Amino acid sequence: MTQYGVVLFYTTSSVMQAEKLLKTEGCSIKLVPTPRQFSSDCGIALRFDWDCREKIKLVLDDAKIEFDAVYFLDKQ
Amino acid sequence: MIYLDNAATSWPKPPEVLKAMTDVLEHAGGNPGRSGHRLSIAAARVVYDTREEIAQFFNISDPQRIIFTSNATHAINLVLRGILKPGDHVVISSIEHNAVMRPLRSLERQGIHLTIVPCAAHGTLDISKFERATGSTTKLIVMTHASNVTGTLLPITEIASIAHRAGALLLVDAAQTAGALPIDVPAMGIDLMAFTGHKELQGPPGIGGLVIADDVEVSQIEPLMRGGTGSRSESDEQPDDLPDKFESGTANLAGIAGLGAGLKWVKDRGVDEIRDHLKKLSQALLDGLSTLPQVRIYGTLDTERAVAIVSFTVAGKSVSEIGLRLDEEYGILSRVGLHCAPAAHKTIVSFPEGTVRLAPGVFTTLEDVQEAIQAIAKVIES
């Protein structure tokens, strides 16, 4: 079974920038409403396959995209 | 009908712009960044893609430094109100639009010091005069890239050097030039640039933006408005993150989509090709008008040193009469009067009567220009 993580960002514009970059990197990602257990924010978060987490951090750091945190997503 | 008022707003718009606007409302009509559902995400993608396209177009590496505003005036006010404090010194040219003049006159009453450096009667700027007017207390230089009255281009790169030697920032009003000629913001030394979407970028009215150069410290700019951003919603304080710091309230989604499509149209056609086309048209206007009796043309009369704007008066005839007759009898649409730029008209000595302004656009043809010249000749004769 696939395990997921989420990245939380400070702005919607950063989420969009990250999505565009990560798509070209071949990571399996999906934009989802920010899970309530991680933030009271009303925005969008980026969900990814947990195996991809190191690559995702690398891509975001390289592009200097600020992100709030990366969390492991427990099945509800 | 021949539309020669593209300096006020470009018309017609490319069909792609209209389609992009209806498409986004029909298929991506959520509120970008406010919800996590598919329509909200689709809308946020459209907004981000346009932001990224604009950043590339002006050679800005961080797309988050493109701030959407409702027009160039809004972007100019954002900078002036956001940076200037009592005691700060500001230097401008004498051909600025009221978008610059009016907020600065208001700030003057709140304690900023304003120096207006006079341009020559044909609208060009003496750089040494500008250098002498700039000093250690100068916080900001504000300059139009091209006059909206005569089309005259101002020497932005040289002014940027003067600003930076004095430790000041340069804000450029690119309302008449964005999309009409290539603009490389870092290469020209521009720190902040206000642009509008509805002129040569071929977008709809109601959308514009502020470009913040990659090396400009954002903390020195206070937001003009504060409010909901869809981010950091747990806090009741305005966030410092870009672009949210300066973009409160629901975005003009249809406007942004239209601007994105307009910019794509400009890129596909090629901004150099557009510049060449417009130069040919304004040369034809200058050639034609200069053969007519009683006509006085304002500006440098040099298409290399101007955008495609030609201003003229006719001795013994009021500009409003000329404008009305061109419209009613010949279907030629111009703009007459002071063009929201009384300072510029004082500089070129056409105040308070103003001028007739002809501004061809990307869809104007040489035949249109010839027809306009013939019509003006007939109006002058009778």
Short mmCIF file of all heavy atoms in Angstrom, two decimals, chain B residues 3 5-14 197-203 361-362:
data_model
loop_
_atom_site.label_atom_id
_atom_site.label_comp_id
_atom_site.label_asym_id
_atom_site.label_seq_id
_atom_site.Cartn_x
_atom_site.Cartn_y
_atom_site.Cartn_z
N TYR B 3 -9.11 52.45 -35.27
CA TYR B 3 -8.88 52.73 -33.85
C TYR B 3 -7.43 53.18 -33.65
O TYR B 3 -6.50 52.38 -33.83
CB TYR B 3 -9.18 51.47 -33.04
CG TYR B 3 -9.07 51.66 -31.55
CD1 TYR B 3 -10.12 52.23 -30.82
CD2 TYR B 3 -7.92 51.28 -30.87
CE1 TYR B 3 -10.02 52.41 -29.45
CE2 TYR B 3 -7.82 51.45 -29.49
CZ TYR B 3 -8.87 52.02 -28.79
OH TYR B 3 -8.76 52.19 -27.43
N ASP B 5 -6.31 54.75 -30.71
CA ASP B 5 -6.26 55.16 -29.31
C ASP B 5 -5.67 54.05 -28.45
O ASP B 5 -6.09 53.82 -27.32
CB ASP B 5 -7.67 55.54 -28.84
CG ASP B 5 -7.64 56.32 -27.53
OD1 ASP B 5 -6.56 56.85 -27.17
OD2 ASP B 5 -8.68 56.40 -26.87
N ASN B 6 -4.69 53.35 -29.01
CA ASN B 6 -4.11 52.20 -28.31
C ASN B 6 -3.28 52.59 -27.09
O ASN B 6 -2.98 51.74 -26.26
CB ASN B 6 -3.27 51.37 -29.28
CG ASN B 6 -4.14 50.62 -30.27
OD1 ASN B 6 -4.65 49.55 -29.98
ND2 ASN B 6 -4.35 51.21 -31.45
N ALA B 7 -2.92 53.87 -26.99
CA ALA B 7 -2.18 54.31 -25.80
C ALA B 7 -3.12 54.44 -24.60
O ALA B 7 -2.68 54.46 -23.46
CB ALA B 7 -1.46 55.63 -26.07
N ALA B 8 -4.43 54.56 -24.87
CA ALA B 8 -5.41 54.59 -23.77
C ALA B 8 -5.76 53.16 -23.36
O ALA B 8 -5.77 52.82 -22.19
CB ALA B 8 -6.66 55.35 -24.19
N THR B 9 -6.05 52.35 -24.37
CA THR B 9 -6.20 50.91 -24.17
C THR B 9 -6.15 50.27 -25.55
O THR B 9 -6.63 50.85 -26.51
CB THR B 9 -7.51 50.54 -23.43
OG1 THR B 9 -7.43 49.16 -23.00
CG2 THR B 9 -8.75 50.73 -24.27
N SER B 10 -5.53 49.10 -25.65
CA SER B 10 -5.41 48.49 -26.97
C SER B 10 -6.75 47.86 -27.35
O SER B 10 -7.48 47.34 -26.51
CB SER B 10 -4.30 47.44 -26.99
OG SER B 10 -4.60 46.37 -26.11
N TRP B 11 -7.05 47.95 -28.62
CA TRP B 11 -8.30 47.38 -29.16
C TRP B 11 -8.12 47.15 -30.66
O TRP B 11 -7.52 47.99 -31.31
CB TRP B 11 -9.48 48.34 -28.91
CG TRP B 11 -10.80 47.72 -29.23
CD1 TRP B 11 -11.60 46.98 -28.42
CD2 TRP B 11 -11.46 47.75 -30.51
NE1 TRP B 11 -12.71 46.56 -29.10
CE2 TRP B 11 -12.65 47.01 -30.38
CE3 TRP B 11 -11.15 48.30 -31.76
CZ2 TRP B 11 -13.54 46.81 -31.45
CZ3 TRP B 11 -12.03 48.12 -32.83
CH2 TRP B 11 -13.21 47.39 -32.66
N PRO B 12 -8.62 46.08 -31.23
CA PRO B 12 -9.31 44.98 -30.55
C PRO B 12 -8.33 44.10 -29.78
O PRO B 12 -7.14 44.21 -29.97
CB PRO B 12 -9.93 44.21 -31.72
CG PRO B 12 -8.97 44.43 -32.85
CD PRO B 12 -8.46 45.83 -32.67
N LYS B 13 -8.88 43.23 -28.93
CA LYS B 13 -8.03 42.27 -28.23
C LYS B 13 -7.92 41.02 -29.09
O LYS B 13 -8.86 40.65 -29.80
CB LYS B 13 -8.64 41.89 -26.88
CG LYS B 13 -8.90 43.05 -25.94
CD LYS B 13 -7.65 43.81 -25.55
CE LYS B 13 -7.98 44.96 -24.60
NZ LYS B 13 -6.81 45.84 -24.37
N PRO B 14 -6.78 40.31 -29.01
CA PRO B 14 -6.68 39.03 -29.72
C PRO B 14 -7.82 38.10 -29.26
O PRO B 14 -8.15 38.08 -28.07
CB PRO B 14 -5.32 38.48 -29.28
CG PRO B 14 -4.54 39.66 -28.81
CD PRO B 14 -5.55 40.63 -28.26
N GLY B 197 -2.00 45.67 -17.86
CA GLY B 197 -2.24 44.55 -18.76
C GLY B 197 -2.98 44.92 -20.03
O GLY B 197 -2.92 44.20 -21.03
N HIS B 198 -3.67 46.07 -20.00
CA HIS B 198 -4.67 46.31 -21.06
C HIS B 198 -4.17 47.13 -22.24
O HIS B 198 -4.95 47.49 -23.11
CB HIS B 198 -5.92 46.97 -20.46
CG HIS B 198 -5.69 48.39 -20.03
ND1 HIS B 198 -6.06 49.46 -20.81
CD2 HIS B 198 -5.12 48.92 -18.93
CE1 HIS B 198 -5.74 50.59 -20.18
NE2 HIS B 198 -5.16 50.28 -19.04
N LYS B 199 -2.87 47.44 -22.25
CA LYS B 199 -2.34 48.19 -23.40
C LYS B 199 -1.58 47.23 -24.31
O LYS B 199 -2.19 46.34 -24.88
CB LYS B 199 -1.53 49.38 -22.90
CG LYS B 199 -2.46 50.41 -22.23
CD LYS B 199 -1.79 51.63 -21.68
CE LYS B 199 -2.87 52.55 -21.08
NZ LYS B 199 -2.32 53.72 -20.42
N GLU B 200 -0.27 47.37 -24.42
CA GLU B 200 0.44 46.54 -25.40
C GLU B 200 0.64 45.08 -24.96
O GLU B 200 1.12 44.26 -25.75
CB GLU B 200 1.76 47.18 -25.80
CG GLU B 200 1.59 48.43 -26.66
CD GLU B 200 0.67 48.20 -27.86
OE1 GLU B 200 0.78 47.14 -28.51
OE2 GLU B 200 -0.16 49.08 -28.14
N LEU B 201 0.28 44.75 -23.73
CA LEU B 201 0.31 43.33 -23.35
C LEU B 201 -0.97 42.61 -23.79
O LEU B 201 -1.12 41.41 -23.59
CB LEU B 201 0.53 43.17 -21.84
CG LEU B 201 1.96 43.50 -21.36
CD1 LEU B 201 2.03 43.50 -19.84
CD2 LEU B 201 2.97 42.51 -21.93
N GLN B 202 -1.90 43.39 -24.38
CA GLN B 202 -3.09 42.85 -25.07
C GLN B 202 -4.12 42.23 -24.13
O GLN B 202 -5.06 41.57 -24.60
CB GLN B 202 -2.68 41.81 -26.15
CG GLN B 202 -1.69 42.33 -27.18
CD GLN B 202 -2.20 43.55 -27.91
OE1 GLN B 202 -3.39 43.65 -28.21
NE2 GLN B 202 -1.32 44.50 -28.20
N GLY B 203 -3.97 42.43 -22.82
CA GLY B 203 -4.95 41.87 -21.89
C GLY B 203 -6.15 42.79 -21.72
O GLY B 203 -6.27 43.82 -22.38
N GLY B 361 -1.77 50.53 -33.08
CA GLY B 361 -1.51 49.32 -32.29
C GLY B 361 -1.10 48.17 -33.18
O GLY B 361 -0.90 48.34 -34.40
N VAL B 362 -1.00 47.00 -32.57
CA VAL B 362 -0.50 45.84 -33.32
C VAL B 362 -1.42 45.46 -34.49
O VAL B 362 -0.96 44.87 -35.47
CB VAL B 362 -0.32 44.61 -32.40
CG1 VAL B 362 0.90 44.78 -31.53
CG2 VAL B 362 -1.55 44.35 -31.55
#
